[in-house]
Amino acid sequence: MKAVVLAAGEGTRLRPLTEDKPKGMVAVDGEPILTHCFDQLAALGADELIVVVGYLKERIIDHYGDEYEGIPITYAHQRDQQGLAHALLTVEEYIDDDFMLMLGDNVFQANLEDVVRRQREDRADAAFLVEEVPWDEADRYGVCDTNKFGEITDVVEKPDDPPSNLVMTGFYTFTPAIFHACHLVQPSNRGEYEISEAIDLLIQSGRTIDAIGLEGWRIDVGYPEDREEAEQRLQQKVTIEED
């Protein structure tokens, strides 16, 4: 299964860490965030990494070259950062089957394999990790509603009045149907083409989207304090394994 990694963002909220490097190259526990992403995707059986680059893309390309641990890397260029659905369309030509999608600014220690396993069961058009967050933080994310079967019934991006505190994380699996939905997405109030809107279009068309509850943890490295928390958690994991 191919794996798409979105790494075009500038990371303005991470400054000064991103003044001379893209967000994905910010070090967490001694390695760029992208290295953590690539390691996990390799463990999940990715046979190709398709990395969407943009801001200071040469730093990523020069660092990783054309393969990672024997897995070929293809680069797609998002010249204007206009949202995740817009970024995803830059890889459409490279995808012809089910694929993984990971946001290149997330650090996971979680049950990603459950999402891949569900996709391979061929019962859903998409699956992704969801987690419950404090209600006062839900408006920072794509918020989901689910039915009794664990299927996503509604997704809304960064709502002023969240309908739930169940939110999307940064790991998904899709069939190529997601690209047709991305083509239909209109700019949001933020002026971006949102992946949540594309997922909602899939739902409205009658396709099945499965929610997999997160077991473990993930950190969306958006601010310097997020980077520090991710480092602490990774170091705790090493300490536990050594004990």
Side-chain angles (χ1 to χ4, degrees):
M1 188 182 290
K2 294 181 179 180
V4 175
V5 182
L6 303 187
E10 185 172 346
T12 55
R13 295 174 300 180
L14 272 170
R15 286 179 178 164
L17 298 173
T18 53
E19 287 180 349
D20 62 349
K21 64 176 69 72
K23 197 176 187 181
M25 293 303 294
V26 170
V28 174
D29 198 27
E31 296 286 354
I33 299 171
L34 283 176
T35 295
H36 295 287
C37 294
F38 293 173
D39 283 342
Q40 292 190 308
L41 292 168
L44 291 168
D47 52 27
E48 182 179 354
L49 299 171
I50 305 172
V51 184
V52 180
V53 294
Y55 173 70
L56 295 179
K57 60 184 182 291
E58 296 81 7
R59 293 293 302 271
I60 295 173
I61 297 169
D62 291 346
H63 184 84
Y64 293 104
D66 58 6
E67 68 172 41
Y68 181 79
E69 302 292 336
I71 303 171
I73 299 177
T74 298
Y75 296 98
H77 299 260
Q78 186 189 24
R79 288 172 173 78
D80 299 307
Q81 283 72 64
Q82 298 181 46
L84 300 187
H86 179 267
L88 193 52
L89 285 175
T90 66
V91 308
E92 183 176 11
E93 64 182 292
Y94 305 110
I95 301 293
D96 56 9
D97 204 345
D98 292 7
F99 67 99
M100 297 178 272
L101 173 67
M102 181 176 282
L103 305 190
D105 55 3
N106 279 227
V107 178
F108 285 95
Q109 290 294 319
N111 53 321
L112 306 183
E113 66 279 0
D114 290 344
V115 181
V116 176
R117 187 179 303 115
R118 181 63 56 84
Q119 189 72 31
R120 286 178 170 152
E121 292 173 356
D122 289 331
R123 66 170 301 276
D125 289 276
F128 51 83
L129 282 183
V130 296
E131 67 172 327
E132 291 188 359
V133 299
W135 277 92
D136 60 355
E137 296 179 12
D139 59 1
R140 295 172 49 190
Y141 303 97
V143 178
C144 310
D145 270 339
T146 60
N147 61 22
K148 63 181 180 180
F149 304 109
E151 298 168 349
I152 302 290
T153 58
D154 187 38
V155 179
V156 57
E157 186 69 27
K158 297 181 175 63
D160 293 331
D161 186 17
S164 80
N165 66 333
L166 190 68
V167 305
M168 296 191 294
T169 70
F171 183 72
Y172 315 74
T173 54
F174 291 108
T175 68
I178 189 63
F179 295 114
H180 179 64
C182 287
H183 280 291
L184 297 176
V185 169
Q186 298 298 310
S188 67
N189 293 334
R190 302 192 304 150
E192 295 192 354
Y193 296 85
E194 311 283 5
I195 191 70
S196 55
E197 177 66 18
I199 292 169
D200 202 43
L201 287 170
L202 287 181
I203 296 168
Q204 292 175 34
S205 70
R207 297 182 184 264
T208 300
I209 315 294
D210 278 350
I212 309 296
L214 182 142
E215 297 175 8
W217 58 267
R218 69 106 187 197
I219 303 292
D220 176 0
V221 184
Y223 295 89
E225 57 266 30
D226 298 325
R227 171 180 172 270
E228 294 168 6
E229 182 179 358
E231 286 194 334
Q232 290 172 1
R233 293 206 184 193
L234 287 172
Q235 289 165 3
Q236 288 172 357
K237 175 178 180 290
V238 170
T239 300
I240 291 171
E241 289 177 346
E242 290 175 348
D243 290 344

